[in-house]
Amino acid sequence: QMADEPSPASEFHAEWARQLLRAAVDRMEGECRSSGQNLIWEVFRLRILAPAAEGLEPVPYQELVRKLGFESPTKASNALITAKRMFHRHLRMIISDYAGSDAAVDDEIQDLRSALS
């Protein structure tokens, strides 16, 4: 194995991290759709998911005002804060299903960050 090639363990760890994130995104989307919070989902999709997946710039808040009907860029920004909290809540719930304690969940989230960096 070449020095700059990822090890099988790090590849496994990165894939595990991607699967956890996908599960959290799926749960979040389901919650948004079932509870009529489509704006929260769309802000998250346009500011976080699409840029991460496609290497694009996040949609500017002013455009979200025009595109999604927010009253102001501040309202769109607040919706993104809500979306991030919702995503983190789902991620913590998924991890706590197997990690148990809050400290173990925090450790897993730290591992997740390092696996994706």
Side-chain angles (χ1 to χ4, degrees):
Q1 163 173 335
M2 303 289 287
D4 58 350
E5 284 182 24
S7 70
S10 68
E11 285 184 28
F12 174 83
H13 206 66
E15 182 55 31
W16 160 83
R18 284 189 292 271
Q19 286 182 10
L20 280 178
L21 292 177
R22 269 194 295 274
V25 166
D26 288 348
R27 285 187 185 189
M28 178 187 168
E29 182 180 14
E31 179 184 347
C32 286
R33 302 257 185 245
S34 68
S35 64
Q37 294 182 300
N38 292 333
L39 281 180
I40 299 291
W41 172 252
E42 285 303 310
V43 167
F44 189 71
R45 189 179 68 77
L46 293 169
R47 291 281 307 173
I48 305 291
L49 295 180
E54 300 161 28
L56 303 173
E57 287 296 311
V59 173
Y61 287 112
Q62 196 59 50
E63 190 174 330
L64 293 177
V65 168
R66 186 182 56 71
K67 194 174 201 164
L68 300 177
F70 283 100
E71 292 174 29
S72 68
T74 301
K75 297 276 189 187
S77 175
N78 289 343
L80 182 61
I81 291 167
T82 300
K84 287 178 176 180
R85 285 183 183 142
M86 184 183 287
F87 172 77
H88 284 113
R89 181 171 42 83
H90 282 289
L91 185 61
R92 287 189 76 83
M93 286 188 318
I94 289 166
I95 292 172
S96 71
D97 285 348
Y98 68 83
S101 72
D102 280 345
V105 170
D106 291 339
D107 289 345
E108 286 292 311
I109 287 176
Q110 200 52 48
D111 286 350
L112 183 65
R113 283 191 176 112
S114 67
L116 294 171
S117 62

